Each structure stands twice: as structure tokens, then as C-alpha cells.
Amino acid sequence: MRIHPQFKNPKFYLMIVTDSTIFVITLIAAYLFRFEFILNQYNIAQIQNVLLWIIPLKIIVFLSLGIYRGMWRYTSVKDFWILGQACLLSTFLIMAIILYTNSFQGFSRAVFIIDGALTFLLVGGKRMAIRSFFSMYANPKNVDNPFPKINYNFKKVLIVGAGAAGEKILREIFENYQLHYHVVGFIDDDPEKQGRSIHGVHVLGNVARLPYILEKAKIEEILIAVPSASGDQIRHIVETCQACNVSYKILPGIGGLIDGRVSVKILRDISYEDLLGRSPVHLDISGIRNYLDGKTVLVTGCGGSIGSELCRQVLQYQPRAIILVDAGEENLFNIQMELQNIRYYRHCVAILGQVQNKPLMDNIFKKYKPQVVFHAAAYKHVPMLEKNPWEAVTNNIVGSQVVMDLAVEHGVKRFVLVSTDKAVKPTNVMGASKRVAELLLQSFQGNGTKFMAVRFGNVVGSSGSVIPLFRRQIEQGGPVTVTHPDVNRYFMTIPEAAQMIIQAGAMGEGGEVFILRMGTPVKILDMARDLIRLSGKEPDKDIKIVFTGLREGEKLYEELITVGEGIAPTKHEKVMVLRQDGLSNGLKSPAELHGWLNSELKELHELSLLHDSRAIKRKLKEIVPEYSPQETESIFR
């Protein structure tokens, strides 16, 4: 016979004994209160007789309601509700038994009502005393602890945000002995919270008073517990913290607090995604479901940072099937396993291959007949393509041409090209190749397929972003390498990039290039300094910043609009659309552009097979007049 673990715990029997003692005390006290502290021999004999069965009865009721299952050091409000039910039920049973056996002859009903109330107060008081002991006197971090076990050095912290999230953090700090934090106070901009307190910890002021409070209280770290705040509010708080030269961390989203999964132990370091200087972009789902629901969707480059996120978001709209195409075996495998085994989506087909392989892509279009194509496959590392420009031609241009040709041939309804801000006045092969892909897209208009492109800046956290590189350098103790002190970039998050692509597919009528309102460009140097501070280090003191010079093909700043493009708003407040005032090179129609491009790209492809970098750049300059090639050495010549 298996014994329940509860009955092996010595503390269980200690609680039974102490509760039994309380039951004796409460019944005697009830008689004393009822009879004005004068008990005769009859009352004493009655108490002795009743105690013989009242104590076992109460223990049985308490056991049946699970009173002894809880961990008493974590007694909660819910435990008191259960205790109240147990006391009420036991009082009812006692009175019912006496009514049945004696019809209450010689018994006072008030005695048992008082007994039930006293049982609740004393048993509940005992549990509260246990919790108070462990949270206060048995807690080594409590400065009032008269029995200190270890002399800890506790870090003085402030909590920014005196709301539900801040209260959750404070309780975790109080109750978790391994967190060596001492909360000095709260900071909150809400005027109604000023001067008030949470669990005895006072709201010391608003964010504007941070410098004074930090200096006076010698604060060592700030915990930001305002997960529902907008990007602008987060930036304001963080900039104030930075000015005070203290380390700081931020609480994850409030959704993680709902079921109690989030605690101080998993406070994450602030990522630059929190500091973009604008609110996140959200999808306008009207129209999106209509073009994705029940459709077969082809995603090229599905294993990349943007392509994989695109697959995750497309799933929300119940496509009939997703065709995954990627040249990287590991990336393709990872996204396939995620869709099938984590997101339980079985209608996906993983195809390992290159988009420039026309026979392969033709067979894919013939067999699976996609109605929507998201073309994210591309090489995007600027210095790498400067050294290997033929791969930019083969993958970014020829691959795009193959997929667009087949989209028209097989009657695809919508085609979205993932482009880049580097296609604007390009100074590198990568940007020029993406600009050619945009021209190709323009040349296919009027053939039954709606072609549109999405152009955006750097994607935070993608494989080509500087963020992962900076983090690795900081983890290794530096130095952090920045190309130039004045270089700046537009940034967006991976989810925003995927949302833009999906949104473009819903909004486009053919020929548009969509861009996001990106806010203010961010200096890479400022980003590096911010990330160093976010890691609790001091730039140029703990972690050095080294300037390495602009890499091949790089420029100081990026633009989102090129010559001949007009900007117009869309129904989505964060999305703008660019429409060409005319076709490139003076051509009057998409058909003329298409014919001219086919001739030019045939020659460009032949040059790529010869690995002639200078000739490739000259030809790209002929196709994209605004391209300003740099004199850089490639791998071969």
C-alpha cells in the first residue's frame, strides 16, 4: 500500500497537534465568553465530553478540505477562504450532531458559533505568523532579522512602476532568499500614487526625481516594471536611467505575469527592440485573411530570420498549405520541425534547393500551384557580396527573375518581393542587385499577377544585424567594433518586417513599393553604448569601443526613397507607398522595360559566370544609373 507523502512529513503531525491544541483553547474560550468567565461543574464536564469528538471531527473536516496540503510559509488569501469554509462546515456539523442527539438540551448555540469564529482567527493567525516569520525573521536579507545566518551584501534597487507588475516583483524579492536585492522604493509618474506604499515600500517620486533619489539612496540598479508602456515611454525612462549612470533591467510583457510564470529571476536585459523610438507596428487584418485563407503559399528563403517569422505569421490565417523553399539545409529543417512539431501545422512541404534553379522551381510551381508567393530568398551581407558580386547576380537577380517568370506563367495571384533600403541610391552590389529585382518586378506588371515590394531598413536580431555581434563582443569583454562614429541606420523588429510583407500582399494592386514609417534613424555608436550599459557595463571604461572604418560597400546613412518616386499614405497609418513617376531609362511601358531588362540581364549573367567583378559592377551601373560602385577588390580580381 502506497503512503501519501504528506503522512511522511513530520511537520504535518506538528500542525495536527498545534491545531488540536487550538481547538481545545477555542472551545474553552467560547464557554468563558458565553458564561461571562464563570464556569460551573456542569459546564466543565460538558467541555470534557464534547472535546472527545469535536477535535477528531474538526481534523477530519480540515483534512478533507485540504487545509494541511498547503505550504504554510506561502499562505495566501485563497488558503484563508478554504479555512473559513472548513470552520463553517465543522461548526455546522457540530451543531447538527448536537441537535440530532440532544436537541440542544443543556447546550448553548452561541458557544459553538463563538468556537467557530475563534477557530478561524487562531488557526488563521498561526498560519499568518508562520508566513510572517519566513518572510521577515527567517529571511537573511531582512535588515530587521534578529537571527542573521549569513552576512549578505544586498544590492539596493529601485522599482520603476508601482502597478501590478511592480508589486509582483516586490513580493518575489521579499520571498526569494536567493535574490540579493533590497528594494529602497518605487518610482511612478502617476500623481495618485505619490507618497503611498506597497507592502511597506514607499513610492518616492516620479521619473523626474530619479537623479536626486539615486544620489541620496545610493541606488545600484533599477528594475523597470512597466511592461505595458509604449515605446516612447520606455525610451524616456531608459534615457533618464542612462543619464544617472546606473544599470537597469526591464520586466517582460504583462502576459507573462497572468499565470505567475514571470518572476524577478527571469528579468531580461533590455533589448534595443524596446528603444526604437516609436510604437510597434500592428497588422490591419482586414483583407489579409481573404487572400491567405485556404490558399497555397510559397515562401522562398523560409529558413532565414524574416522568412521563418513570415511562415509563423502566415499560419494565423489558415492557409491550405505552405511550400518552404531554402538553400540552407539546417535552416530549412529547423523551420519545418517548428511548424510541424511545435505549431502542429502538418500542411507544409520542405524543398531544399536554390531559387535560380529554374527546372526545380518550375516543377514546384507545376505540382503545388501556389496562389501567393513571398520571395524572401536573397544574399544580404554587404561586404560579403562586394567580395563575391557574382553571387548577388546569381541569387538576388537571376533567382528573382526565375521566380517572377514562373509566377506569371503559372497564374500566381499575388507576389511580394522583400527588398531593402540599400536599393535606394545604392553604393554596394547588394543594394544594386535588389534595385534590379525591383525593376524586374515593375516590368512584370499587367501580366495577371499583382506584384509588389516591401522596402525596409535593418532588422533587429536578424542574421545580418549588428545586435548579435555587439552582444557577443560584450559577453567576451570587448572591444565593441563600430565602423564609423557617424554611421546611422533605420531599424525595425523581425515581427514588424514579417507584418509589413503580409500587409503589402493585402494592400497592393500591382507595382507598389511599400515602406514603414521608421521613425528617426539610430546611430550605431549610440546603439553600441546603450547595449554596453544595458549589460551593466560602462562604455569606454569597462568595454572599449573601437572604430574600424566603413566596410566595403557601406555608406554613412540609408534612405528609403530614390529619385522619381512619389510617397503617398495608405489606409494603414504606419505604412506608406511609393509609386514610380515613370519607368526607368525612359522606357514607356512594362513590356518595353521587360524586353530591355532581359537583354541586359542575359549579359550580366554571362559576366557573373566569368567572376569578373569590375565588369559586373559596370553592367549594374548601366542598369541602375543611380548606383555608385566602389573600388573594392573582389576574391578573384
Side-chain angles (χ1 to χ4, degrees):
M1 181 177 178
R2 186 179 178 184
I3 301 176
H4 193 281
Q6 181 181 12
F7 296 108
K8 299 179 181 179
N9 186 357
K11 295 178 182 178
F12 166 73
Y13 298 100
L14 177 63
M15 293 298 287
I16 293 286
V17 170
T18 56
D19 279 355
S20 298
T21 304
I22 289 174
F23 298 155
V24 173
I25 293 171
T26 56
L27 186 63
I28 295 173
Y31 270 90
L32 289 171
F33 286 136
R34 170 63 182 83
F35 297 107
E36 299 179 349
F37 295 91
I38 299 175
L39 299 180
N40 55 34
Q41 289 299 323
Y42 178 78
N43 296 138
I44 294 172
Q46 193 177 74
I47 291 172
Q48 292 172 342
N49 292 330
V50 169
L51 281 175
L52 293 176
W53 58 271
I54 278 184
I55 293 175
L57 174 66
K58 286 186 177 182
I59 290 173
I60 291 171
V61 171
F62 278 33
L63 281 170
S64 63
L65 292 184
I67 294 294
Y68 298 113
R69 293 178 188 169
M71 297 177 68
W72 302 296
R73 67 172 62 187
Y74 301 122
T75 298
S76 65
V77 173
K78 184 177 180 181
D79 293 318
F80 280 100
W81 277 105
I82 298 173
L83 176 61
Q85 295 172 20
C87 293
L88 189 64
L89 177 59
S90 61
T91 299
F92 174 80
L93 290 175
I94 291 169
M95 296 179 70
I97 291 171
I98 294 175
L99 180 64
Y100 179 78
T101 56
N102 297 88
S103 300
F104 264 102
Q105 295 296 320
F107 289 89
S108 170
R109 293 176 176 82
V111 165
F112 301 103
I113 295 174
I114 296 171
D115 172 67
L118 291 176
T119 299
F120 176 78
L121 291 175
L122 293 185
V123 173
K126 181 188 73 172
R127 281 157 171 75
M128 181 56 67
I130 292 172
R131 170 161 183 166
S132 298
F133 174 79
F134 279 102
S135 64
M136 296 292 289
Y137 299 107
N139 190 338
K141 70 175 63 178
N142 183 12
V143 296
D144 297 325
N145 181 8
F147 312 110
K149 297 178 182 178
I150 302 174
N151 185 19
Y152 287 112
N153 292 319
F154 292 104
K155 182 181 289 187
K156 291 185 176 181
V157 298
L158 277 177
I159 299 177
V160 177
E167 186 272 342
K168 177 84 172 178
I169 291 296
L170 180 62
R171 279 197 290 116
E172 184 78 14
I173 290 173
F174 277 165
E175 296 171 3
N176 192 329
Y177 303 163
Q178 297 178 353
L179 295 172
H180 299 161
Y181 287 154
H182 169 59
V183 180
V184 175
F186 285 95
I187 295 292
D188 201 293
D189 282 336
D190 187 350
E192 295 184 0
K193 296 178 181 177
Q194 303 303 314
R196 305 183 71 177
S197 64
I198 299 176
H199 304 314
V201 177
H202 296 289
V203 179
L204 303 178
N206 54 26
V207 174
R209 295 194 72 230
L210 255 180
Y212 170 76
I213 295 170
L214 291 175
E215 181 179 357
K216 182 179 179 181
K218 301 188 183 326
I219 301 301
E220 299 171 75
E221 188 168 54
I222 295 173
L223 307 180
I224 302 175
V226 281
S228 60
S230 67
D232 289 339
Q233 290 172 318
I234 289 287
R235 174 173 282 275
H236 172 64
I237 293 170
V238 169
E239 286 177 348
T240 304
C241 295
Q242 287 177 341
C244 298
N245 197 29
V246 293
S247 62
Y248 44 93
K249 294 180 180 178
I250 190 169
L251 184 70
I254 196 66
L257 293 173
I258 294 175
D259 58 5
R261 291 181 291 108
V262 172
S263 72
V264 170
K265 291 180 289 184
I266 56 173
L267 273 174
R268 64 174 171 85
D269 287 341
I270 299 176
S271 70
Y272 214 87
E273 297 174 20
D274 301 305
L275 311 174
L276 293 177
R278 53 180 170 78
S279 300
V281 174
H282 299 288
L283 278 171
D284 175 8
I285 64 173
S286 59
I288 293 178
R289 190 172 298 278
N290 291 336
Y291 90 93
L292 291 179
D293 189 5
K295 303 297 194 302
T296 298
V297 179
L298 170 64
V299 181
T300 69
C302 62
S305 307
I306 295 174
S308 57
E309 177 64 21
L310 183 59
C311 293
R312 297 180 193 107
Q313 294 197 23
V314 166
L315 286 189
Q316 302 175 36
Y317 301 97
Q318 289 83 47
R320 186 170 71 86
I322 298 180
I323 312 305
L324 308 171
V325 176
D326 202 286
E329 181 183 31
E330 183 179 359
N331 287 345
L332 180 64
F333 174 78
N334 289 339
I335 187 61
Q336 181 192 25
M337 291 299 99
E338 178 182 338
L339 296 185
Q340 291 182 345
N341 300 326
I342 298 178
R343 300 178 185 273
Y344 305 105
Y345 183 79
R346 301 294 179 180
H347 307 292
C348 63
V349 180
I351 300 171
L352 181 64
Q354 297 178 316
V355 290
Q356 59 266 37
N357 184 340
K358 189 165 185 176
L360 170 65
M361 296 304 297
D362 189 36
N363 284 330
I364 293 171
F365 276 85
K366 282 179 181 177
K367 180 173 182 178
Y368 297 105
K369 298 179 174 55
Q371 293 134 302
V372 180
V373 174
F374 294 113
H375 182 45
Y379 288 142
K380 59 185 179 180
H381 292 273
V382 170
M384 189 71 70
L385 293 182
E386 286 297 301
K387 294 288 188 181
N388 304 271
W390 42 87
E391 289 301 323
V393 174
T394 305
N395 195 66
N396 295 3
I397 297 176
V398 176
S400 298
Q401 187 178 24
V402 166
V403 181
M404 291 179 194
D405 266 326
L406 293 173
V408 171
E409 181 180 338
H410 293 277
V412 170
K413 299 299 181 185
R414 292 179 178 268
F415 185 106
V416 183
L417 169 69
V418 178
S419 189
T420 171
D421 59 0
K422 293 176 178 59
V424 180
K425 298 179 183 177
T427 60
N428 50 66
V429 172
M430 184 273 200
S433 68
K434 296 300 286 184
R435 179 60 182 156
V436 173
E438 290 184 355
L439 294 175
L440 270 169
L441 181 142
Q442 190 180 1
S443 76
F444 277 98
Q445 301 308 318
N447 287 301
T449 301
K450 292 182 178 180
F451 287 91
M452 62 283 301
V454 178
R455 186 187 290 169
F456 44 70
N458 290 34
V459 179
V460 174
S462 70
S463 59
S465 172
V466 296
I467 303 295
L469 173 63
F470 285 171
R471 283 179 171 162
R472 286 194 298 270
Q473 290 175 333
I474 292 169
E475 287 171 3
Q476 294 168 3
V480 170
T481 55
V482 178
T483 57
H484 191 282
D486 296 325
V487 68
N488 64 50
R489 293 290 183 267
Y490 290 101
F491 282 91
M492 70 190 310
T493 65
I494 293 175
E496 281 181 326
Q499 289 171 8
M500 274 287 294
I501 297 166
I502 295 174
Q503 191 72 64
M507 298 168 61
E509 294 299 326
E512 301 96 340
V513 176
F514 293 96
I515 63 173
L516 178 70
R517 293 185 188 273
M518 300 288 288
T520 305
V522 179
K523 279 184 124 180
I524 303 299
L525 177 58
D526 291 342
M527 175 184 292
R529 286 175 172 159
D530 285 348
L531 288 175
I532 292 171
R533 292 191 185 100
L534 299 179
S535 304
K537 307 291 184 181
E538 181 62 28
D540 301 316
K541 182 180 178 182
D542 301 317
I543 302 288
K544 290 185 178 181
I545 297 176
V546 176
F547 298 107
T548 58
L550 291 175
R551 299 178 299 174
E552 294 90 343
E554 280 193 322
K555 54 184 179 180
L556 286 178
Y557 60 91
E558 305 288 359
E559 302 171 89
L560 293 174
I561 305 172
T562 190
V563 177
E565 294 178 327
I567 187 169
T570 67
K571 62 182 180 180
H572 194 296
E573 63 177 356
K574 293 286 186 178
V575 179
M576 301 176 291
V577 64
L578 306 178
R579 291 186 181 275
Q580 277 72 12
D581 295 332
L583 298 178
S584 296
N585 296 291
L587 301 170
K588 301 299 183 183
S589 69
E592 290 180 1
L593 179 60
H594 189 75
W596 174 76
L597 274 176
N598 276 345
S599 174
E600 296 293 310
L601 295 185
K602 181 179 179 181
E603 183 178 345
L604 181 63
H605 188 212
E606 290 173 355
L607 293 172
S608 72
L609 297 177
L610 299 175
H611 304 118
D612 188 339
S613 62
R614 289 188 177 90
I616 289 171
K617 291 180 180 181
R618 284 197 298 269
K619 178 52 69 175
L620 284 173
K621 172 70 174 176
E622 292 176 13
I623 301 172
V624 184
E626 65 270 25
Y627 169 44
S628 301
Q630 297 185 2
E631 291 295 330
T632 55
E633 292 292 330
S634 72
I635 295 298
F636 296 123
R637 63 178 78 178

